[in-house]
Amino acid sequence: MGKSASGKDTIYRQLLLSEELKLKKIVPYTTRPIREHEKDGVQYFFVTEERLRELKAEGKVIECRSYDTIHGVWYYFTVADDQVDLDRDDYLIIGTPESYISTKEYYGEDRVVPIYIELDDGVRLQRALNRENGQITPRYEEMCRRFLADAEDFSEKKLDEAGITNRFNNDDLTQCITDIVAFIESEKRR
């Protein structure tokens, strides 16, 4: 997990490619609109709010977060579907401190390990702006809202409350990934 534009998506993709780690991905769900470069079922399962309500009624939603964006409320959530078999494989998922708490409550604290990616706010803001500039229809207002919301969502208080202590600085992407791989390998040996 990490604030927007901290590099977590890039790191996530690299970790999934690691032959040593053999991690599987958990694809989360969202009600937000799909971006130009995204594919349904790859970055997210893009669903309607009606489908979210159905999954909640079926008792399948593990955790759900809502964000009041300038485009309306968007939901991001994890579903107890057929993606996960913890007795067979190890997994990787992107989330927030809030989603981490719910996920560890669902699967068990001893089965979920947080990895927090840190990066200077100025660097993150520039990366977010560059990403938005690459969109066919840039959503600058939403980019700014997300950037500001991250200060609260990833505050030191929330990180402490969630018990998130495994932090990795992404000033140097290669070194950050190397450090995370070493950390995951040590956790797998435990």
Side-chain angles (χ1 to χ4, degrees):
M1 68 193 83
K3 295 176 180 177
S4 59
S6 62
K8 65 185 173 295
D9 291 321
T10 300
I11 292 167
Y12 174 83
R13 285 190 301 271
Q14 291 299 311
L15 293 174
L16 287 174
L17 292 174
S18 169
E19 291 294 323
E20 312 94 77
L21 297 179
K22 295 181 176 69
L23 297 171
K24 307 287 184 192
K25 70 179 179 176
I26 299 173
V27 179
Y29 291 65
T30 186
T31 61
R32 79 154 166 76
I34 192 168
R35 293 178 184 148
E36 286 87 8
H37 68 280
E38 294 176 322
K39 292 185 175 129
D40 187 41
V42 176
Q43 292 85 5
Y44 294 95
F45 290 109
F46 295 91
V47 299
T48 63
E49 286 188 42
E50 179 180 343
R51 181 64 181 136
L52 169 58
R53 285 190 294 277
E54 290 170 358
L55 290 165
K56 281 183 175 180
E58 295 169 16
K60 292 186 174 183
V61 175
I62 296 170
E63 59 85 22
C64 182
R65 297 153 275 135
S66 64
Y67 299 95
D68 190 8
T69 76
I70 62 159
H71 304 287
V73 177
W74 292 346
Y75 296 91
Y76 292 81
F77 54 103
T78 308
V79 173
D81 52 18
D82 61 355
Q83 293 184 71
V84 177
D85 180 350
L86 290 177
D87 293 327
R88 187 183 70 219
D89 294 306
D90 294 317
Y91 296 86
L92 195 62
I93 188 170
I94 293 178
T96 64
E98 179 185 354
S99 67
Y100 164 68
I101 290 169
S102 297
T103 302
K104 75 177 180 177
E105 287 172 359
Y106 182 83
Y107 288 111
E109 189 166 355
D110 60 326
R111 301 190 91 173
V112 181
V113 178
I115 296 172
Y116 182 64
I117 310 301
E118 297 180 306
L119 186 64
D120 174 76
D121 284 345
V123 176
R124 288 189 320 98
L125 185 56
Q126 187 61 58
R127 285 183 180 179
L129 183 58
N130 292 344
R131 179 173 59 196
E132 238 14 77
N133 284 334
Q135 299 294 311
I136 292 170
T137 307
R139 299 173 190 229
Y140 298 114
E141 297 89 354
E142 176 56 20
M143 179 200 77
C144 292
R145 185 211 60 81
R146 285 182 65 200
F147 187 84
L148 295 171
D150 281 345
E152 173 61 24
D153 294 344
F154 292 91
S155 68
E156 287 300 319
K157 180 181 179 194
K158 286 195 176 180
L159 294 173
D160 288 342
E161 288 172 352
I164 297 167
T165 58
N166 309 311
R167 297 176 178 222
F168 301 87
N169 190 292
N170 191 18
D171 284 338
D172 177 328
L173 178 62
T174 302
Q175 186 61 54
C176 184
I177 291 171
T178 299
D179 294 345
I180 292 171
V181 168
F183 171 73
I184 292 172
E185 287 176 333
S186 73
E187 285 294 311
K188 289 175 93 169
R189 287 190 296 269
R190 287 180 30 171

